[in-house]
Amino acid sequence: MMTATVPLLAVDGGGTKCLAVFADTEGRMLASGRAGSCNYQGAGREPAALELTRAIQEAKRQLAVSAAVGNKPPESDVESASLAQKETANITEDGPLHVTCAVFGVAGLDTEHDRQVIEGMVREALARTEVTADRIFVENDGVAALLGATGGAPGILIIAGTGSIMFGINDQGKSARSGGWGHRIGDEGSGYWIGKQAINAVLRGFDGRGSHTALTGKLLRHLGLRTEEELFNWVYSAEYSVNKTAELARYVSEAEQEGDEIACLILETAADELFLGARSVMSKLGMATASFTVILQGGVLQNNPLVRNRLAAAFRSVSPLALIDEAKKEPIYGVIAQGLQLLRHGN
């Protein structure tokens, strides 16, 4: 029996979740699989590789189920649906699968050492899931999302989810980045950073070094704790994690909407930190007076109006030709778009 072939495997490997998608030549999703964080810098190399494998395997399982029952891709016409069914007819969950192009946008790819580690994780995940590819493209999740979202046109991508990072590309094709140095020393303006500032504000208030804040009750209730001292102990316990701390950002947003001044200050500072990074990218690329698109992605920017609006206003004050794209579009669509470009143009 011939090995089944699918045009595209696109993977958005973020710090919070890993999403793997098989797609056709029009970018329609045929199947998807979701797993946990595959940022090896936070989760560890082996756990991250396992989550990457799980996401691809789940997408492959869904693809096999879809092929078995003859489901067509959403929003597809009869002709393209028939083609998709023909291409996936031989797919089985445990059998081999071939893709023309595999694109991986993975968090934590910042240095040459990171590239070696992550490319090794990708090879392992493909081997474990019995997926082969004619072409494999591995890049930082932000770079892949930016290239896919802009199609190579000038733009700046700001990601503020669990972590944060900024990428830019100018009209000459030159690219630059800022931030993305991880939770230990960076990720300013991210969900983790906001959560960490909230904890700090609670403890400052407890000491009398800062004002009282509604964040105290909100954080203690969410974490099932009774006192600020228990919060301190939680921070230095095995229960503490980047993701759990990032979850606290929603309570900062909630407190800000209720009028808490400390929460408001934290979110305003988050927006300012994100703009500092974006402005440095603009400066490196000479884009301040140019026309370009600003793409806002990640949970903080998509779900927090204060941060998003303050950041957008900062852009407009220094770069009036910038177009703010506030569409709530998941990064996976940028990765798919990058894969489609590779399929169509071969570079």
Side-chain angles (χ1 to χ4, degrees):
M1 183 174 65
M2 295 180 61
T3 300
T5 298
V6 174
L8 177 63
L9 167 62
V11 178
D12 170 34
T16 301
K17 67 178 185 299
C18 179
L19 180 61
V21 167
F22 288 107
D24 64 16
T25 54
E26 299 301 318
R28 287 180 289 254
M29 294 187 188
L30 303 173
S32 65
R34 189 181 298 259
S37 171
C38 63
N39 184 343
Y40 87 96
Q41 294 179 358
R45 199 269 186 203
E46 294 309 314
L50 180 59
E51 296 302 323
L52 184 60
T53 301
R54 284 174 174 168
I56 297 173
Q57 188 62 50
E58 174 59 20
K60 186 181 172 187
R61 186 192 69 79
Q62 286 193 16
L63 193 64
V65 171
S66 179
V69 299
N71 287 342
K72 66 179 181 179
E75 301 179 6
S76 62
D77 56 30
V78 174
E79 182 179 353
S80 60
S82 298
L83 177 60
Q85 290 172 11
K86 182 177 179 181
E87 289 175 338
T88 61
N90 296 325
I91 293 175
T92 60
E93 181 179 352
D94 299 323
L97 175 64
H98 185 76
V99 295
T100 306
C101 183
V103 181
F104 293 79
V106 185
L109 202 169
D110 302 311
T111 67
E112 186 56 36
H113 171 71
D114 295 332
R115 176 169 292 279
Q116 293 176 8
V117 172
I118 292 171
E119 286 184 348
M121 290 165 48
V122 166
R123 288 192 297 270
E124 285 182 20
L126 292 176
R128 289 172 179 171
T129 56
E130 294 189 77
V131 175
T132 56
D134 290 331
R135 298 190 63 198
I136 301 173
F137 180 87
V138 182
E139 193 47 90
N140 184 286
D141 57 341
V143 171
L146 173 62
L147 292 174
T150 66
I156 290 179
L157 170 67
I158 305 174
I159 300 177
T162 301
S164 66
I165 195 164
M166 305 84 190
F167 291 97
I169 184 170
N170 63 16
D171 57 2
Q172 298 175 332
K174 182 180 178 182
S175 62
R177 58 161 278 186
S178 180
W181 298 117
H183 68 281
R184 291 185 179 180
I185 56 174
D187 281 351
E188 294 87 352
S190 68
Y192 172 79
W193 183 90
I194 291 171
K196 185 171 66 173
Q197 300 307 308
I199 294 172
N200 181 265
V202 169
L203 296 179
R204 287 178 63 88
F206 179 64
D207 282 345
R209 294 180 294 130
S211 302
H212 171 75
T213 170
L215 292 171
T216 300
K218 292 181 182 295
L219 266 58
L220 293 179
R221 283 192 295 273
H222 171 71
L223 296 171
L225 306 175
R226 293 173 296 177
T227 66
E228 290 89 342
E229 289 183 349
E230 287 188 359
L231 175 62
F232 166 78
N233 292 331
W234 177 82
V235 170
Y236 288 95
S237 74
E239 292 296 314
Y240 179 88
S241 72
V242 171
N243 288 341
K244 288 180 180 179
T245 304
E247 289 174 0
L248 303 179
R250 62 172 164 163
Y251 297 102
V252 181
S253 180
E254 185 179 283
E256 178 271 322
Q257 291 174 14
E258 294 171 359
D260 187 87
E261 293 183 0
I262 299 298
C264 181
L265 180 60
I266 290 173
L267 295 178
E268 288 177 344
T269 306
D272 294 344
E273 288 286 350
L274 293 172
F275 182 67
L276 279 176
R279 191 167 190 173
S280 74
V281 170
M282 282 193 292
S283 177
K284 292 174 185 177
L285 298 177
M287 297 174 65
T289 60
S291 175
F292 61 91
T293 300
V294 181
I295 303 158
L296 307 181
Q297 288 186 349
V300 172
L301 290 170
Q302 292 183 353
N303 301 320
N304 193 296
L306 187 154
V307 177
R308 184 174 64 249
N309 294 338
R310 187 179 178 90
L311 180 58
F315 264 105
R316 295 186 180 106
S317 69
V318 301
S319 187
L321 296 180
L323 173 65
I324 310 298
D325 181 357
E326 298 183 5
K328 293 186 177 182
K329 203 167 188 180
E330 291 291 329
I332 187 63
Y333 291 100
V335 182
I336 291 173
Q338 175 65 7
L340 294 177
Q341 290 184 57
L342 292 171
L343 284 172
R344 292 165 184 166
H345 305 296
N347 53 41

